[in-house]
Amino acid sequence: MGTRPTGPEEKNMIGYQSRLKLKTHNTFKVGFILFVGEFDDEPLRAKLIREVDTHGILHEFVNKTRKEVIDKLTCVLEKRLTEYLKQIQEELNRYSPPTGNAASSLCEVNAILRRLKQAERYPEDLTENDDENGIEHLDVNRVLQRFSESLLYHELDGNVLNVVTNDQGIKEEIEAGLLEAGFENLHLVITVEDHLSISELSETGEPLHGAKFVYVNEGVDAFHSNQSFATTGSLMFTSQNHEMVAVTCRHALEQVDTCYTLIDNEVVKLGEEMAQQNNNMEKLHDDIAVVLIDEETRPIISEKCEKLLIDDFGHPSPAQMSLQDLSVGDIVHKRGAKTGLTTGIVKNVEAKIYGRFVLPSTVIHIAGRDFKPFAEKGDSGSLVFQHTLSLEKDSLNVFAMVQGKTTIPNVGDRIICFPMKKGCETLIQNIPNLQDLQFYDS
């Protein structure tokens, strides 16, 4: 056994081992140099270009303003990540059709590529033409529309189309329609079920975004062990009356109108539901409620609790209601009382009658990543969000609220959500004197 090197020799050995490790895991074969400064000296600029070209190094020149440097670095990083992900995508596409881990990995790669193309500084806009799945999803949906009354669910994942129907004889008709539309390479999996089982997630949490709330106050120990609870989606306020409220799912408050939460290891009355006189729960997005924060609790919240939403890095962040809609392939996050922070991928968005509701509305289906559930019982009321991708302002876009869960044959669990902007429209229509709802920004 040799002796351990010391001094400069040791440092050289460590450096050599580090270089070996980096070389083994180096994803990008070609480096990049960003020259920052004022380059009015053309001979100097030309000399720099010749030098880096000799070594095959990519380069850019940029003025020394902070904004330009950040913009350029961001674009460079996004482009290089995109190139790397597309290489992985090509490898995964060799599995036809992708199954198991390959299918799951391809789904995540496609979702990340889509998110990169949505970035503010990305050099090219995201369009349906370069969206990996956009056109195909639209065309497949057009074919399936003629069978909408018989379809319980459908999901296109790569070149595998999973369909759940209540009509035994519909398979040949769908296959013929897909062939006629030019989808001869699509792998169709059809399951026949009388209905889909749907469970709302207000059963079996800390202040306040994603906080647990219960329906009875039996002390701290009972609060922790209580298995009948839901999630406080977020604190919000009404600008006209400056009232503090919390949003959640309405089905979580159907049996009671008062709820309690834990603040500073003490059970306190969070508040009571604000009555919705004309909300008959006819549409999925009618399943939303606001709890008016109790006057005695409000000072405690102001002193002890974070009123901002917590992002996926655990940092308090300002938020706003997104005016955009989620699309298939989008990556999203939520923070719930049961499962905490989770990340998911939007698998399907459709307008239909769902569960106990009697009128069509937008239904968003989300699957968890890495074989982890996106939500479980106790997560009803969680808010579904994304980062804005702005370089100048770190904030969140809120898209939807978690409502329930269904299990799709051959696919697995899908979390049911509805658009948050539609839910807020329901609240404003049905609560007297409620004109708007806003997130806290400080």
Side-chain angles (χ1 to χ4, degrees):
M1 179 180 295
T3 58
R4 176 183 171 85
T6 58
E9 184 180 357
E10 179 184 27
K11 292 179 180 178
N12 289 337
M13 178 72 74
I14 293 172
Y16 176 69
Q17 290 172 341
S18 299
R19 287 194 298 274
L20 281 180
K21 185 177 181 181
L22 285 172
K23 184 176 181 181
T24 304
H25 294 86
N26 185 19
T27 301
F28 306 113
K29 302 300 182 184
V30 180
F32 180 87
I33 294 178
L34 181 66
F35 293 104
V36 181
E38 296 175 0
F39 293 95
D40 297 330
D41 186 342
E42 286 300 326
L44 172 61
R45 186 185 180 105
K47 183 177 180 181
L48 290 171
I49 292 173
R50 285 196 303 272
E51 184 66 26
V52 295
D53 283 347
T54 301
H55 298 282
I57 300 174
L58 301 174
H59 60 275
E60 292 274 2
F61 290 86
V62 67
N63 289 330
K64 56 184 178 182
T65 63
R66 179 179 181 275
K67 183 178 183 302
E68 290 185 44
V69 172
I70 292 175
D71 283 0
K72 183 61 69 174
L73 285 173
T74 302
C75 283
V76 168
L77 179 60
E78 287 168 351
K79 287 177 69 175
R80 304 202 75 187
L81 286 172
T82 300
E83 292 168 5
Y84 173 56
L85 289 167
K86 284 186 173 179
Q87 292 174 11
I88 297 176
Q89 188 184 51
E90 290 173 5
E91 290 292 325
L92 291 169
N93 276 326
R94 293 178 184 177
Y95 297 88
S96 183
T99 58
N101 290 337
S104 177
S105 298
L106 181 61
C107 176
E108 295 208 14
V109 167
N110 289 337
I112 296 169
L113 279 170
R114 177 180 176 82
R115 189 69 177 136
L116 278 170
K117 291 181 180 180
Q118 291 171 333
E120 277 190 13
R121 304 299 187 224
Y122 197 78
E124 302 171 8
D125 292 334
L126 173 67
T127 66
E128 293 302 339
N129 290 328
D130 64 8
D131 184 0
E132 300 298 336
N133 298 307
I135 295 295
E136 193 166 83
H137 273 96
L138 290 174
D139 290 342
V140 168
N141 285 340
R142 290 192 191 101
V143 173
L144 295 178
Q145 276 179 355
R146 72 185 78 161
F147 311 103
S148 59
E149 292 185 2
S150 302
L151 296 186
L152 300 178
Y153 184 81
H154 65 276
E155 179 177 305
L156 180 62
D157 208 344
N159 64 344
V160 179
L161 175 62
N162 282 286
V163 172
V164 184
T165 177
N166 56 15
D167 186 343
Q168 182 69 46
I170 203 174
K171 181 175 182 178
E172 292 183 3
E173 295 181 51
I174 294 178
E175 287 178 335
L178 292 171
L179 284 173
E180 184 181 344
F183 291 103
E184 62 273 2
N185 294 324
L186 207 60
H187 183 65
L188 180 63
V189 179
I190 289 190
T191 306
V192 180
E193 298 282 344
D194 292 333
H195 66 279
L196 291 178
S197 175
I198 298 169
S199 59
E200 293 165 341
L201 298 178
S202 61
E203 297 245 67
T204 13
E206 215 151 65
L208 266 165
H209 169 42
K212 175 181 182 179
F213 70 80
V214 300
Y215 310 107
V216 293
N217 180 6
E218 296 177 339
V220 174
D221 291 342
F223 180 92
H224 286 298
S225 60
N226 194 322
Q227 294 301 300
S228 181
F229 65 86
T231 295
T232 305
S234 172
L235 286 174
M236 302 184 76
F237 69 94
T238 62
S239 59
Q240 67 277 18
N241 298 323
H242 300 286
E243 295 172 319
M244 181 186 287
V245 300
V247 291
T248 190
C249 268
R250 195 175 184 211
H251 73 252
L253 296 168
E254 282 183 314
Q255 304 303 318
V256 296
D257 61 5
T258 303
C259 51
Y260 301 85
T261 192
L262 192 70
I263 298 177
D264 204 20
N265 205 36
E266 180 182 351
V267 179
V268 298
K269 179 182 176 182
L270 186 61
E272 296 183 357
E273 180 187 4
M274 298 179 72
Q276 299 182 56
Q277 299 171 351
N278 299 313
N279 186 353
N280 298 318
M281 295 273 278
E282 295 178 322
K283 297 182 177 181
L284 178 61
H285 58 252
D286 291 340
D287 194 0
I288 188 170
V290 286
V291 174
L292 180 61
I293 301 301
D294 189 83
E295 282 302 314
E296 292 185 8
T297 308
R298 184 166 180 167
I300 302 173
I301 290 176
S302 297
E303 179 187 357
K304 303 283 186 181
C305 300
E306 179 58 67
K307 291 185 287 188
L308 299 180
L309 269 67
I310 309 299
D311 66 17
D312 54 314
F313 297 107
H315 302 144
S317 299
Q320 57 273 327
M321 200 79 64
S322 175
L323 300 179
Q324 305 297 317
D325 297 320
L326 287 173
S327 299
V328 172
D330 282 341
I331 292 181
V332 293
H333 313 280
K334 80 100 188 64
R335 188 178 296 277
K338 179 67 174 180
T339 55
L341 173 71
T342 57
T343 299
I345 299 175
V346 177
K347 305 299 288 186
N348 192 19
V349 181
E350 56 184 340
K352 65 182 301 181
I353 297 173
Y354 218 87
R356 59 156 144 172
F357 306 95
V358 297
L359 295 177
S361 54
T362 301
V363 184
I364 303 163
H365 294 88
I366 300 177
R369 293 177 64 191
D370 301 324
F371 304 102
K372 298 177 182 177
F374 186 64
E376 290 287 5
K377 282 188 175 295
D379 289 330
S380 270
S382 305
L383 299 187
V384 177
F385 64 89
Q386 288 181 336
H387 283 268
T388 59
L389 294 180
S390 168
L391 295 178
E392 309 301 326
K393 182 181 178 182
D394 187 12
S395 62
L396 305 177
N397 282 331
V398 176
F399 286 88
M401 178 176 281
V402 171
Q403 193 272 343
K405 180 174 77 171
T406 185
T407 301
I408 309 298
N410 298 310
V411 169
D413 289 343
R414 294 293 177 261
I415 300 305
I416 302 163
C417 307
F418 58 81
M420 186 64 177
K421 61 183 177 182
K422 289 289 187 183
C424 286
E425 289 172 9
T426 291
L427 295 171
I428 292 169
Q429 289 170 4
N430 292 294
I431 298 178
N433 302 320
L434 183 65
Q435 297 176 12
D436 71 344
L437 282 170
Q438 297 182 34
F439 292 101
Y440 285 93
D441 58 8
S442 61

